[in-house]
Amino acid sequence: QVQLVESGGGLVQAGGSLRVSCVTSGIAFSQHAMAWFRQTPGKDREFVAGVSRSGISTSYTDSAKGRFTISKDNTKNTMYLQMNNLEPEDTAVYFCAATFAALPELILTTQRYYDRWGQGTQVTVSS
């Protein structure tokens, strides 16, 4: 059974930090590219950050560059998103996603390419 389970969300003041995690099971984690998406009420999910199956290559949306760091530990089947200098605009439900990647450095930034999703974790940043 495939499972992606996010944790680490919560309430933080603007300027603070959080690290969200995504623990996976039931997939060949080292063969999957991973990503974090986020969603606010009434809006579609948006790409935040992605990491290649190797864990070497990463990609970020412009608002996350310089503040967020995505990483992937293939020995623990876990992906992380370290979020620093958080802003109220970062408030959202954060979802992890996975997809089999034929190429080791492939990163996909569109949600329709991902076929495995977690249930989401709420991140709330107060001003």
Side-chain angles (χ1 to χ4, degrees):
Q1 181 181 1
V2 176
Q3 284 191 310
L4 281 66
V5 181
E6 301 98 333
S7 63
L11 173 64
V12 65
Q13 288 188 331
S17 297
L18 277 176
R19 187 179 79 159
V20 290
S21 302
C22 174
V23 178
T24 73
S25 59
I27 64 172
F29 187 75
S30 63
Q31 296 181 33
H32 281 67
M34 306 284 295
W36 289 97
F37 289 79
R38 64 188 179 189
Q39 187 172 25
T40 54
K43 294 187 177 181
D44 200 4
R45 289 181 189 178
E46 66 168 348
F47 173 82
V48 178
V51 61
S52 62
R53 77 179 199 200
S54 70
I56 295 174
S57 300
T58 58
S59 178
Y60 299 90
T61 191
D62 285 346
S63 64
K65 289 178 182 176
R67 300 188 300 127
F68 294 3
T69 302
I70 189 171
S71 61
K72 183 177 187 274
D73 188 337
N74 285 343
T75 66
K76 297 181 179 179
N77 294 345
T78 302
M79 175 179 65
Y80 305 96
L81 184 68
Q82 176 67 44
M83 301 183 287
N84 298 327
N85 194 21
L86 283 160
E87 304 169 350
E89 293 74 22
D90 296 316
T91 296
V93 178
Y94 283 70
F95 297 90
C96 69
T99 187
F100 175 80
L103 300 175
E105 304 309 327
L106 178 67
I107 300 173
L108 298 167
T109 62
T110 305
Q111 63 171 319
R112 65 186 175 95
Y113 292 117
Y114 289 89
D115 56 356
R116 308 292 188 184
W117 291 86
Q119 82 290 347
T121 185
Q122 176 70 47
V123 171
T124 303
V125 185
S126 63
S127 57

